[in-house]
Amino acid sequence: MDLQKLLNSMTVDEKLSQMTQLITGIITDKNDGPITGPMRKFGLTKDTTSRVGTILGGSGANHSKDLQNFHLSEDPNKIPLLFMTDVIHGYRTLYPVPLGIGASFDDDLAEQCCAMAAKEACVSGIHVTFAPMVDLVRDARWGRCMETTGEDPYLNSRMSAAMVRGYQGSIDSPDRLGKYKIAACVKHFAAYGACEGGRDYDAVEMGDHTLRQYYLPAYKAAVDEGVELLMTSFNTVNGIPSSANKYLVRDILRGEWGFDGVVISDFAAFYEMISHGICENEKECAKKALDATNDIEMMSTCFVKNGKQLLEEGEITEKQLDEAVMRILKLKEKLGLFDNPYRYADSEEEKEICLCKEHRDLARIAAEKSAVLLKNDNVLPFNKNVKKIAIIGPVADHGMIGGWFCCGKHTEAISVIDGIRNYAKDAEIVFARGCGAHPAEMAENVSEMIAQAKQVAKDADAVIMCLGEEIDMSGEAHTRAKIAVSDSQTALIKEVCSVNKNVAVVYYCGRPIALEKVIDVAPATVIFWHPGTEGGNALANLLFGEVNFQAKLPMTFPREGQCPYYYNRLNTGRPNGSQGYCLNYSDSPFPPVFPFGYGISYTTFSLSEPVLSSAEMTENGEITISLSVKNTGDRSGIETVQLYVQDVTASVARPIKELRGYSKVELNPGEEKSITFRITIDDLKFNTLSGKYEAEKGLFRVYVGNSSAINEYKEFRLV
Ligand code: GLC
């Protein structure tokens, strides 16, 4: 396809429509009579809707083909539609929310899961996913913690690259963007996770060093992995909404990083610039968005309604329009849409592939590898021959598929009751709801519910309590001011544990929850996130010891009131405990309940003292850190050994430690293996006071352990 010739043949209105994304319902309004409600609201004409460049939604092979046919019958330029949707943690077969995938510390798992999601989405007619979401988050109150892989720039960067590879194929692979692959859209650029107070959509204020050092790396990792699209975020960054932020998008993303892919807004974010107070009307929104080099306007119509006038008034140039449209046309060409507008949509394959056994197995394995064991006082694994199992809690009797469930269904998911029944076929299983999940539910007859749960639990051989958050208690626009386990769930745990000692409490959550009130009550505690389609089967395998826990926390689990809280903090001039007047809370302990990188296993491991290859490193050299890991327990397990580095003195204060490597070591009982980490100059570079990204000579400390809460270190100097 001669894209330049096609571009040259397009009118200004057709170009502006190509830069617009609307939801399916608006496009397919077949009512040729009066403009329907949504279209009128947007001030749209049939001409506009018949020429849009992309649809938000439209999944389902046959549905997608019908939409494409409808569009091509109306679009004078016969430019195929792009179908985009949120395939965040699966398309139809759902795996754990990304915060759980982050907990796996398993890049290959992340890539495999995204490849599975891409395969299901591709045959179902989807061309682009609005993922990976890589916003660094340090505040557990933010509802969208569930969509991220957590608080660490290094972990998020590795996961970001792995997910892009999963969706698109790796940069040099022959199947990149081919069959079973879709284009990825990294989001939300930028620093959306730093919204003040954890309040979704609230302002983001930070210095350039913090922005570049901690919040931008994971987006750049996606760009370096060849991500095809990027979505700008709702929030302001230092007073400018990202969609209008020329510094962020034009200067850093396109200028410094060389990104020439498609930039799409978030939902109606251009229009929201009026509410932000930086535009008086939609015409100004269109100009500011275009000047910041956005290409597609999602679900608002500033471009199509004002672009022509802006052009006539000389406020924008046709060159700007052409650059945006050409990026869109190139993406469509890369995806093969000009050769085949239906791409790989195939209803037969859709039926065969979606929810197939192979995909369900991977979803189960992902849930098993994402679950974090926080405490186990000799209760787990349960005896396989238990006769009576009590299952208690408001999230045990339905599938906990997670907040962005795309085309997944609760009814296709395995609940805890299903999973335990599948596993312990001969056991008697009794259930009691015990209390609600939503705060509003808690007021009702909770004392009777708790009494009934006690009754059910008291003579059980094993008690599984499924508590925490319902899937709609995290996610977009679900910030919570109080992240502690609720009073009624706390009361339920205390009452049940008062009548039975064989209790495991499993928390479903899309964020860190404050466990200080309950962690000492129950003998065993598991964080299971929102585990997806196969959650119940995965939990059964974990609790009865068919598989061992191996995950680690990708975010600090703080106490109520400590947010924001993160491990890679600055030391400050008065670190906690250094003196009377120092960093602390007068009404709460300073440490979190559990630190970043923490998670235990059914076995135990010992790490030998790390040995550095040298006490000095030159900028072209490297240092290796070697140690041995031994399984000192009585069953096989996987330890995630973590490497942290501290730049002790630098031109800008640096964190007390930063993750710079992790390695998963599988060991049988008694087995010992040596592992080696490598540090090169790239691991020491940072955004210095002079604004350069480089390493500075001086003292560095190396920490190696099984969580971020390690104090022993070895030193070397960069000379
Ligand atoms: C939402 C989200 C964004 C999502 C988009 C399309 O508001 O912020 O993450 O991709 O709209 O659904």
Side-chain angles (χ1 to χ4, degrees):
M1 168 66 72
D2 182 338
L3 298 182
Q4 193 56 55
K5 187 176 171 200
L6 171 58
L7 180 64
N8 296 342
S9 72
M10 293 168 75
T11 66
V12 169
D13 284 331
E14 288 161 355
K15 291 175 184 174
L16 292 165
S17 294
Q18 191 64 215
M19 296 162 66
T20 301
Q21 178 178 78
L22 298 174
I23 53 174
T24 314
I26 294 178
I27 307 292
T28 53
D29 165 58
K30 290 199 173 67
N31 173 359
D32 292 334
I35 295 289
T36 57
M39 289 168 72
R40 181 185 293 110
K41 178 191 155 213
F42 282 108
L44 293 172
T45 65
K46 208 65 175 138
D47 279 351
T48 308
T49 57
S50 63
R51 298 167 182 168
V52 291
T54 164
I55 275 189
L56 170 50
S59 49
N62 291 333
H63 183 214
S64 153
K65 285 182 176 178
D66 290 347
L67 287 168
Q68 194 69 280
N69 286 332
F70 175 71
H71 168 77
L72 292 173
S73 69
E74 304 222 330
D75 180 353
N77 295 306
K78 307 295 175 209
I79 302 173
L81 280 171
L82 263 179
F83 292 98
M84 305 191 193
T85 196
D86 296 282
V87 185
I88 308 295
H89 54 100
Y91 173 79
R92 177 81 177 276
T93 309
L94 301 172
Y95 43 88
V97 293
L99 194 56
I101 297 299
S104 74
F105 280 72
D106 188 333
D107 308 24
D108 291 341
L109 177 72
E111 184 172 340
Q112 290 162 30
C113 286
C114 292
M116 169 182 73
K119 187 171 182 178
E120 293 192 352
C122 181
V123 299
S124 305
I126 294 299
H127 306 146
V128 175
T129 177
F130 296 124
M133 187 275 218
V134 301
D135 305 321
L136 184 101
V137 58
R138 295 171 157 175
D139 195 322
R141 294 169 296 183
W142 190 41
R144 300 193 80 161
C145 290
M146 52 83 78
E147 289 180 69
T148 81
T149 48
E151 70 187 43
D152 182 75
Y154 176 83
L155 175 62
N156 290 356
S157 298
R158 281 183 56 170
M159 287 287 165
S160 173
M163 291 176 174
V164 170
R165 287 195 299 273
Y167 288 123
Q168 299 188 160
S170 52
I171 285 182
D172 50 6
S173 68
D175 73 340
R176 185 173 184 279
L177 296 182
K179 186 167 187 180
Y180 301 146
K181 294 299 180 189
I182 56 177
C185 175
V186 64
K187 67 185 184 183
H188 305 81
F189 194 70
Y192 181 23
C195 46
E196 283 181 351
R199 293 179 297 273
D200 206 0
Y201 315 119
D202 210 333
V204 169
E205 291 290 331
M206 62 176 70
D208 199 58
H209 173 77
T210 298
L211 175 69
R212 288 174 177 271
Q213 188 62 32
Y214 307 106
Y215 286 89
L216 294 189
Y219 305 111
K220 178 131 187 344
V223 169
D224 292 346
E225 195 62 42
V227 74
E228 290 293 340
L229 298 93
L230 173 139
M231 182 188 293
T232 45
S233 60
F234 288 122
N235 56 284
T236 54
V237 178
N238 300 327
I240 309 293
S242 298
S243 300
N245 202 311
K246 287 187 270 191
Y247 174 62
L248 275 181
V249 187
R250 186 195 61 191
D251 299 347
I252 294 178
L253 174 69
R254 295 206 191 275
E256 292 179 29
W257 298 357
F259 181 71
D260 195 31
V262 171
V263 173
I264 184 170
S265 78
D266 205 336
F267 200 105
F270 289 2
Y271 179 75
E272 290 175 6
M273 291 189 216
I274 297 171
S275 171
H276 276 297
I278 67 153
C279 295
E280 196 169 327
N281 51 48
E282 293 185 53
K283 189 173 149 193
E284 275 191 60
C285 297
K287 172 167 172 54
K288 291 197 173 183
L290 198 60
D291 286 349
T293 72
N294 291 273
D295 301 312
I296 297 178
E297 177 175 13
M298 181 197 295
M299 275 307 284
S300 55
T301 49
C302 306
F303 277 167
V304 285
K305 288 192 298 193
N306 301 282
K308 200 166 187 177
Q309 190 184 355
L310 286 166
L311 199 59
E312 288 157 2
E313 293 169 358
E315 289 293 323
I316 62 172
T317 66
E318 185 130 21
K319 180 172 179 289
Q320 284 177 283
L321 296 184
D322 289 353
E323 285 172 353
V325 173
M326 183 53 84
R327 286 190 281 259
I328 297 166
L329 296 179
K330 280 182 177 171
L331 176 60
K332 293 185 176 183
E333 183 174 62
K334 281 184 188 177
L335 289 164
L337 289 173
F338 289 110
D339 299 329
N340 174 5
Y342 312 124
R343 203 162 177 261
Y344 300 105
D346 181 320
S347 57
E348 286 312 310
E349 280 210 274
E350 187 179 15
K351 284 193 205 94
E352 283 162 29
I353 291 171
C354 291
L355 278 178
C356 66
K357 184 182 182 312
E358 181 195 347
H359 288 185
R360 277 188 173 270
D361 287 349
L362 178 57
R364 190 199 74 254
I365 290 166
E368 291 164 355
K369 291 184 172 183
S370 302
V372 183
L373 180 61
L374 294 180
K375 178 183 178 186
N376 182 27
D377 291 348
N378 302 315
V379 163
L380 294 175
F382 289 133
N383 183 315
K384 292 180 172 45
N385 304 314
V386 288
K387 295 284 177 281
K388 182 175 180 183
I389 303 167
I391 300 174
I392 294 168
V395 292
D397 60 352
H398 54 280
M400 293 298 285
I401 54 179
W404 281 104
F405 47 81
C406 199
C407 293
K409 299 180 177 66
H410 302 259
T411 49
E412 295 165 346
I414 306 295
S415 71
V416 174
I417 293 176
D418 298 337
I420 300 298
R421 190 170 283 135
N422 292 341
Y423 181 81
K425 293 182 171 38
D426 302 328
E428 178 194 358
I429 293 171
V430 288
F431 168 68
R433 188 168 166 76
C435 69
H438 294 90
E441 269 181 271
M442 313 267 169
E444 293 156 25
N445 61 336
V446 69
S447 49
E448 290 78 26
M449 293 171 77
I450 291 176
Q452 190 209 1
K454 274 177 80 172
Q455 188 59 32
V456 156
K458 69 178 192 319
D459 59 355
D461 302 311
V463 180
I464 302 166
M465 300 187 78
C466 302
L467 301 171
E469 292 185 322
E470 192 46 87
I471 64 170
D472 63 0
M473 291 171 67
S474 58
E476 183 176 353
H478 284 83
T479 296
R480 289 178 61 195
K482 302 190 202 87
I483 60 169
V485 176
S486 67
D487 293 345
S488 53
Q489 290 191 11
T490 301
L492 178 63
I493 294 168
K494 289 177 177 170
E495 291 299 321
V496 168
C497 289
S498 70
V499 297
N500 196 309
K501 294 302 169 220
N502 269 335
V503 177
V505 180
V506 181
Y507 291 100
Y508 287 73
C509 51
R511 72 177 84 231
I513 47 183
L515 298 169
E516 62 271 21
K517 291 189 296 183
V518 291
I519 192 62
D520 295 330
V521 180
T525 298
V526 172
I527 299 298
F528 204 37
W529 314 111
H530 288 135
T533 306
E534 283 289 319
N537 287 334
L539 189 63
N541 285 341
L542 287 161
L543 297 185
F544 286 90
E546 295 301 325
V547 294
N548 194 349
F549 288 90
Q550 58 175 280
K552 302 284 185 178
L553 295 177
M555 280 186 77
T556 300
F557 268 51
R559 299 169 194 277
E560 182 88 290
Q562 286 188 323
C563 295
Y565 202 112
Y566 48 97
Y567 86 92
N568 45 359
R569 58 173 303 102
L570 300 187
N571 200 36
T572 76
R574 298 190 174 190
N576 178 255
S578 59
Q579 56 178 290
Y581 286 73
C582 68
L583 210 58
N584 72 357
Y585 291 99
S586 56
D587 58 353
S588 162
F590 182 76
V593 183
F594 289 101
F596 173 87
Y598 182 86
I600 60 177
S601 160
Y602 285 147
T603 187
T604 52
F605 300 95
S606 68
L607 275 56
S608 69
E609 194 173 320
V611 176
L612 270 56
S613 56
S614 169
E616 287 190 350
M617 177 181 143
T618 59
E619 65 176 287
N620 299 319
E622 69 169 35
I623 291 247
T624 60
I625 302 99
S626 301
L627 68 148
S628 67
V629 188
K630 184 173 184 178
N631 182 336
T632 50
D634 57 7
R635 53 169 297 154
S636 302
I638 295 174
E639 178 61 294
T640 305
V641 183
Q642 300 151 50
L643 168 74
Y644 296 88
V645 175
Q646 178 187 11
D647 188 346
V648 179
T649 307
S651 58
V652 179
R654 307 281 291 115
I656 54 177
K657 57 171 75 83
E658 292 182 285
L659 185 69
R660 280 291 177 272
Y662 49 86
S663 173
K664 298 181 80 83
V665 188
E666 186 160 11
L667 296 166
N668 293 317
E671 187 181 6
E672 188 168 9
K673 280 180 187 168
S674 296
I675 61 172
T676 298
F677 292 104
R678 285 177 63 241
I679 289 177
T680 68
I681 197 74
D682 288 340
D683 297 308
L684 309 181
K685 288 179 179 176
F686 71 103
N687 294 282
T688 64
L689 183 63
S690 64
K692 291 195 192 104
Y693 186 69
E694 59 187 0
E696 294 174 345
K697 291 181 170 50
L699 184 64
F700 289 84
R701 288 175 181 156
V702 171
Y703 301 77
V704 181
N706 55 14
S707 90
S708 59
I710 32 179
N711 299 312
E712 300 73 34
Y713 57 81
K714 297 286 186 180
E715 292 184 338
F716 71 90
R717 273 192 179 278
L718 178 64
V719 294

